[in-house]
Amino acid sequence: MSYPITAIATAICGLLLLILAIDTVRQRLRTHTAFGEGGGDVRLIQAMRAHGNLAEHAPIALLLIGLLEGAKVHHMALTAVAAFFLFARAMHAWGLYLPIKDKPPVPRQIGVIGTWLSLATLSIWTLVTVARLNF
């Protein structure tokens, strides 16, 4: 396989997305909710947001990982950023399931910041790589 980092990251995101989708359906069945938030049911909202947030952030990160891998950037550095992104997404999902007290739970905070750092790194790295290869 010519894109092993992208393949592994995508497969892990796919499994995490499946797990979160299954839990969302479980919560919908529990609350008898076909659409919406089940009258504000906290567990359903947590499941929906964990699933939706991953679905919102993963595609662009995986696309950037694939573009960088195709440009033959440093393999270990890209692996580290991809692993950090996956860690951040797992932390965010976990944090969404924890109760909120004064502020969002620490795993959720780590997940948000880690995701943003990963996306910023991948985006800037892609821009720099394009500039280096084409100008």
Side-chain angles (χ1 to χ4, degrees):
M1 186 169 286
S2 58
Y3 289 83
I5 300 168
T6 306
I8 292 168
T10 303
I12 291 170
C13 276
L15 290 173
L16 183 56
L17 195 65
L18 179 61
I19 291 165
L20 296 173
I22 289 168
D23 189 49
T24 300
V25 170
R26 280 182 352 104
Q27 298 307 322
R28 288 192 175 285
L29 291 171
R30 181 184 61 78
T31 59
H32 307 286
T33 305
F35 300 101
E37 299 175 345
D41 183 82
V42 173
R43 288 173 30 203
L44 175 56
I45 293 169
Q46 289 170 319
M48 288 171 50
R49 287 313 311 142
H51 177 259
N53 199 276
L54 178 63
E56 293 163 1
H57 287 88
I60 190 68
L62 295 171
L63 182 58
L64 291 166
I65 291 166
L67 291 169
L68 288 165
E69 191 167 18
K72 307 259 190 271
V73 299
H74 192 276
H75 182 82
M76 288 308 295
L78 184 58
T79 299
V81 175
F84 184 66
F85 173 76
L86 294 170
F87 170 76
R89 296 316 309 156
M91 292 295 285
H92 185 266
W94 176 38
L96 276 170
Y97 280 92
L98 297 173
I100 296 176
K101 305 231 186 305
D102 302 346
K103 57 184 179 176
V106 172
R108 185 174 174 188
Q109 294 176 42
I110 292 169
V112 168
I113 293 167
T115 297
W116 291 350
L117 287 173
S118 299
L119 287 174
T121 300
L122 291 166
S123 296
I124 292 166
W125 195 358
T126 300
L127 289 170
V128 168
T129 301
V130 169
R132 255 193 24 244
L133 295 175
N134 293 295
F135 298 106

